[in-house]
Amino acid sequence: MSDLEAILRWYVVLTLVAAALLPFVAWVGATLGPARFGLLRPLSLVTLTAIVWWPAAVVDLPFARWTLIAALLITAVVGWTMVVRQRLVLNDWRVLLGFEALWLVTFALYVWFRGYQPDIINTEKPMEIALLSSVARSSEVPAPDPWFAGSAINYYYFGYQTFASAIKLSGVPTAIGFNLALATLFASGATAAAAAGSAFLRALGGSRSSIVAAGGLAVVLLLFAGNLETAKRLVEEPSTTIDAGWWEGVGWQASRIIVDSDVTQPGDTSETINEFPAFSFVLGDLHPHVLTYPLLATVLVLAIGIALSAQRQSWLRLGVIGALVGLLYASNSWDAPAGFLLVAGAIALSHRFVLRSIVRDVLIISVSAIVAAGPFVLQFTAPVGVPNSRVPAALTDLPLIGRVVNTFGIVSWRPSSVAELLTVHGAWLVAFAVFAAVELVRDRSSIEIVRKRQHFWLAGGILAFGVAMAWAPALLVLGVPLLLSCALAVTSDRQPVRAIAGAFAGGFLLALVPEFFYIQDVFSDRMNTVFKLFYQAWLVLSVASATALVYSVRSVPRAYRVPATIGVGLLVVATVPYTPLSAQDWTDDFAHRRGIDGRVYLATSAPGALAAIEWISEHAEPGDTIIEAPGCSYANAFGAPLSRVSAFSGVPTLIGWHGHEGQWRRGENPSIYERLTLRAEQANAVLDGSIAADASDARFVILGEIEIQGSPNCDLALPRTSGAADALQSAGWLVVFESGGTMIFAQPTDPTVAQLR
C-alpha cells in the first residue's frame, strides 16, 4: 500500500467516525460553547472504541472490523436521529471547520516530518509496535501478549486498542498505522489545546482575536515548546549546542534535567525523566503516556467546561465524563488520578466549595469511572505494591497496609534543586507570576486575606523557607505558587479567573507531589513518578499559561500592551528553540524523505527478517506461537530489533524482551524473572534442536542471523554453529520458507508443509 493511499484511507475513516460521533461530542461538551468542536477528533475514535471494547472484554464480543462498523452505524443513527427529532441546532459551523482545518494542518505537518525518520527501532518502539500489532491482529480483549505466548497483555493497552480500531477499519498496515497514530495524537492534542484556550478567553469576554490567540498559544506551548534547557545552552555555548547531535545534544539531554543524588547509597546518581510533548513527538515513541495525552487533554477541557459553568451538570453528562476518567486508567493508569483531580477540582469550583453538592457529583464521577475501567481492572495486575527491600517485612505482611507501603515511597534524599526546577517549570512560573500580579492589582481580596492573618502566613512562610533550604526547594519554588493559585481560585470575584487559577493549582500540585512521594515500581526510585506527573503537569500548565498570558496582556492599560506583548513574545521565544533544533538533528537535517512505513528500513538492513515477518503475518492463525531468539530490552542486532518477528507481526513468541516482561508481570508473579529465564532456556533449546518438534507447542521456529550468530548486546540470544538448520531438521522441524538467510521451520503436520509438497 502506498503512503498516499494509506493516508487517505486513514483520514477518511477518522472523518467518518468524527461525523458519526459529532452529536455525542456536541452534547457532552455543551458547556464549552463553540470550543466543544475542538474535542471532536480527540474524543470520537476513543468513544467508538470504548463502545465495542467494553462488551468485548465482558461478554467476549469479537473486537473485529464488523463489530466496529456496526457500532459506528448504530451510533450515527441514534445520534443524528436525536438531532433531527429534538430539533437540536448544531450551530457554529465556522468554528467546527476551523478546528477541522487546524487538525488537518497539524496532522499533515507531522506526517511530513515523520516521513524523514519513520523507523520503528531503538528506544521502546519495538515494544510499542509489538503491542499495537497484537491488538490489531486479534479479536480478543485483551489481546495475546506478543512476547509471552499463552498469556494476555498485562499492560495499559486501551490506547493501542483505540488505534487498532483505525487500523481494522482502514486496512492500513500496522507499521504505517504506527506513524499515522502519532500524527493523529499530535493533531488531536492541538485541537484539544486550542479548545481549552479559546474556552477560557470566551468566558472572560475576550474578542475574537484574543480567543484565537489564546487557542493558538495553547497549541504552541503544549506541542512545540520545550523547557528552558535549550535556551540556556544556546546562550552559554551556541555553536556547540547547534552542532551537537540529537542524542548528545539537547534533543535527548533536555529530557534528563533533574538528577537525584544519594538515592540508594552516598555518592550515587539517578537520572529522572523530564519528557515533554515536543520531545515525545520528535522521538516518536507510541508509548501509553503519548497515546493517552489527547484523552487526558479532553478530560481537562471538559473539566474547564464544568468550572466555567454556573449550572450543575446533569448526572448523565457527569457519568460520561467519569467514564472517560476510567478509560484513562485503561490507557495509562498514571493519568487516571490526574484526570480525577482535574474533574473533582472543577466540580468544587463550580459549586463554590459547597460540600454536599461536591460529594454528590464526585460520587457520580467515581462510580462511572469504576464501571468504565472495570473490564481492564479485573484483567490487569498492577506491577506495583510488590514487596521490596526498602519496606520492613513486618509491614509488608500486614493486610492492605503492606500493599500501601510497598506502593508509595517517601523521598528520603534531597530532591530537585532550584536551578533544575526553574529549567523545567520556569516558563509556567513566569506566566503565573504575571497572571497573579494582574489579578492582585485588579481584585485585592486575596491580599486582604493575607493581611487579616499576617501571623499565620508569616509563621508558615518561615517554616516553608526552612524546609526548602534544608531539604526540598520545591516547597518554595512550586509550593508558594500553589498556595497563591488556590487563594485566587477561592477568592476571585470572576468565575473564569477562578478556573484559570484552579488549573494552575492543579498543575503545580502535580509537579510538587514527586518532590516528596513516589511510586515504588521496578526502578526503585522516583524516576518514573517525576516523568509521568511532570508530563501531566505540562499539559495543565501550558494551557493555563497560554490563557493567562493573553488575558494579562488584554488586562493591562492600553499604553503598556505593546511592551507586555513583547514580554510574552520573549517568554515564548525562550521555549520554542527546542523543537526546530531537535527535529533537525533527528532527521539528519531533513536530508532524505523515506515515507511513513515504519518497517521499510528492514528491506535494506535485514531483508531476510522482513521477508519472514511478512510470511508469518500471512500464514499464522489465531492461537499460534512462534519461537525466535529470546530478547533483551532495547537491544538490536544485524539491522533489526530483537524479537523482531513477533513485534512486527503480532504473533506471540515464547519469550520476547525479558526485562520488559518482568516489569509488566512482576505484580502477578513474584518469581516472574525465574519463569522468564526458564522460557529463554526453552526457546534456546528448541533453536538448538534439543527439543523434538512434536514435543513443542510452537507452530513456527525462526532461524535468522540473530538466532545463528547471537547478539553481543543480549546474553539471552545465544550463538549457534553453522549446523543449526540441520539440528532443527533432525529434531523433526521442516523448512517452509527461506529468504535472505532467514529460514522458517514448521511442524511436520503443518498445513504449510503440505502446500510445499
Side-chain angles (χ1 to χ4, degrees), residues 184-249:
T184 303
L185 293 165
F186 186 79
S188 297
T191 60
S198 60
F200 271 136
L201 256 293
R202 184 177 296 275
L204 287 164
S207 63
R208 179 177 295 181
S209 60
S210 63
I211 291 171
V212 172
L217 186 56
V219 174
V220 171
L221 293 183
L222 177 63
L223 296 175
F224 293 93
N227 57 39
L228 300 180
E229 178 69 10
T230 304
K232 186 178 93 173
R233 292 195 182 199
L234 284 171
V235 171
E236 294 173 347
E237 299 178 303
S239 59
T240 301
T241 302
I242 293 172
D243 294 338
W246 196 86
W247 296 99
E248 301 81 15

Side-chain angles (χ1 to χ4, degrees), residues 202-353:
R202 184 177 296 275
L204 287 164
S207 63
R208 179 177 295 181
S209 60
S210 63
I211 291 171
V212 172
L217 186 56
V219 174
V220 171
L221 293 183
L222 177 63
L223 296 175
F224 293 93
N227 57 39
L228 300 180
E229 178 69 10
T230 304
K232 186 178 93 173
R233 292 195 182 199
L234 284 171
V235 171
E236 294 173 347
E237 299 178 303
S239 59
T240 301
T241 302
I242 293 172
D243 294 338
W246 196 86
W247 296 99
E248 301 81 15
V250 293
W252 175 263
Q253 298 302 326
S255 71
R256 299 299 188 273
I257 302 301
I258 296 176
V259 180
D260 288 343
S261 300
D262 306 330
V263 177
T264 56
Q265 59 185 1
D268 70 349
T269 58
S270 176
E271 282 187 342
T272 65
I273 301 176
N274 319 129
E275 283 192 28
F276 44 90
F279 171 92
S280 303
F281 283 111
V282 170
L283 179 62
D285 269 7
L286 195 64
H287 205 271
H289 71 278
V290 176
L291 280 163
T292 195
Y293 218 47
L295 179 56
L296 181 60
T298 297
V299 170
L300 169 62
V301 177
L302 292 172
I304 291 170
I306 293 173
L308 293 175
S309 176
Q311 299 178 345
R312 178 178 180 261
Q313 305 298 305
S314 70
W315 69 267
L316 186 57
R317 185 174 285 112
L318 286 173
V320 170
I321 295 172
L324 296 177
V325 174
L327 293 178
L328 284 174
Y329 189 81
S331 303
N332 181 28
S333 300
W334 291 86
D335 286 343
F340 182 83
L341 169 70
L342 294 172
V343 175
I347 290 171
L349 287 172
S350 176
H351 289 305
R352 298 304 302 267
F353 304 98

Side-chain angles (χ1 to χ4, degrees), residues 378-396:
L378 294 174
Q379 297 161 343
F380 173 69
T381 303
V384 296
V386 179
N388 65 80
S389 58
R390 294 192 174 194
V391 179
L395 288 177
T396 295

